[in-house]
Amino acid sequence: QKHLLGIEPLHPDEITALLDVADRYVDLSRQPNKHSDALKGLTQINMFFENSTRTQSSFELAGKRLGADVMNMAMQASSIKKGETLIDTALTLNAMHPDLLVVRHPHSGAVDLLAQKVNCAVLNAGDGRHEHPTQALLDALTIRRAKGRLHRLNIAICGDIAHSRVARSNLMLLGKMENRVRLVGPPTLVPQQFREFGCEIYDDMAEGLKDVDVVMMLRLQKERMDGGFIPSEREYFYRYGLDADKLAHAKPDAIVMHPGPMNRGVEIDGTIADDINRSVIQEQVEMGVAVRMAAMDLLARNLRTDREANKGVMV
Ligand code: CP
């Protein structure tokens, strides 16, 4: 692949290969010396048009651990604020010869559009409700390490599916790897068209969590509910927030996941989130750095191969 724009175009073998590389970067990241030269001499620019804690910091750390020159664009202070278009900003940065461009944007499809205009590798760090591929890959690595496999698992994705790029990317990835995925949440937040991904839909947590291996909770994404129905947080927690009673319906060794940022007492009880016997939320953060190292390493290898093949060719 030239870019990482989504899970949709990836073959299961490519997913497995990326996770294998990421496993090695988990080991490296646990060493006193965490550095490699995989991206030495390359320039990585991070452009985040939406807020981020985990994704932006882990992409920055990943690039630095691999020896890249990393620049974080301060989008609030950029010329976008003066009316410059996304494409003009991208072309301006492209003229500075970056090798890797990491982009988060509030509009679905914006990152794909940008990738068509630049001649470097583009990584989607989340675009609107569309995709968040590195989140799904880090979730996959977390599951594979916790469960010892990434196939034939029963996985429940719970909460605000309608507004979630995390849910879409996970649905595609987990489906490609032959898992059974259930969506659980209020009908207003779990559109029936998601059945096209081959999943079952439940509006009752007890039924939806019955005997699952993995419980993946999602945040209510109020910032995307423009004018639509917003449930009361108290009622939402009562019916759909993960607490010990609801989790008791899952398998006794089921793991609990959350991509963050997490709203304690809304979609998840704080004691469940902090229960080190069930929750793998901190492991997800650790896997995030390793998966982003792997994704950039593999894209950089392809970039170097392409450039070598095109040496001396006028384009
Ligand atoms: N999971 C995730 O994308 O978190 P951030 O918004 O903090 O990057």
Side-chain angles (χ1 to χ4, degrees), residues 287-304:
M287 296 310 124
V289 179
V291 152
R292 286 159 184 139
M293 290 169 87
M296 291 196 290
D297 177 359
L298 293 172
L299 288 179
R301 289 186 214 179
N302 294 344
L303 193 69
R304 285 183 164 127

Side-chain angles (χ1 to χ4, degrees), residues 175-242:
K176 281 177 196 272
M177 305 312 277
E178 298 183 3
N179 296 285
R180 283 185 67 180
V181 183
R182 307 169 182 183
L183 301 179
V184 191
T188 46
L189 296 177
V190 186
Q192 290 295 317
Q193 61 260 37
F194 275 82
R195 285 189 198 280
E196 78 192 30
F197 290 103
C199 50
E200 298 162 21
I201 294 183
Y202 296 85
D203 66 6
D204 179 85
M205 286 288 273
E207 287 174 28
L209 297 193
K210 189 167 166 29
D211 295 332
V212 296
D213 300 287
V214 178
V215 182
M216 199 180 278
M217 301 307 298
L218 296 174
R219 180 176 64 89
L220 279 180
Q221 289 153 95
K222 292 182 182 170
E223 72 275 20
R224 293 191 219 291
M225 293 184 187
D226 36 64
F229 171 73
I230 300 182
S232 109
E233 289 186 353
R234 212 160 135 221
E235 190 188 342
Y236 186 81
F237 181 69
Y238 177 71
R239 293 204 55 194
Y240 296 103
L242 187 67

Side-chain angles (χ1 to χ4, degrees), residues 85-159:
T85 66
L86 170 68
I87 298 305
D88 282 335
T89 300
L91 291 175
T92 301
L93 293 175
N94 193 49
M96 299 179 197
H97 301 291
D99 304 288
L100 298 150
L101 210 49
V102 179
V103 187
R104 170 171 286 189
H105 199 278
H107 295 144
S108 305
V111 184
D112 291 50
L113 180 69
L114 194 145
Q116 293 164 27
K117 306 286 179 187
V118 297
N119 45 21
C120 61
V122 176
L123 294 102
N124 182 359
D127 64 324
R129 303 177 190 189
H130 177 228
E131 281 235 36
H132 193 349
T134 55
Q135 179 69 47
L137 289 161
L138 76 88
D139 289 340
L141 185 61
T142 307
I143 294 170
R144 194 173 80 164
R145 289 172 72 100
K147 292 280 149 201
R149 67 182 201 273
L150 186 59
H151 59 274
R152 276 185 264 127
L153 292 166
N154 289 313
I155 299 171
I157 306 179
C158 311

Side-chain angles (χ1 to χ4, degrees), residues 48 51-56 104 125 132 135 165-166 259-261:
F48 279 66
N51 295 338
S52 170
T53 301
R54 282 144 285 269
T55 312
Q56 184 166 0
R104 170 171 286 189
H132 193 349
Q135 179 69 47
R165 55 196 176 208
V166 174

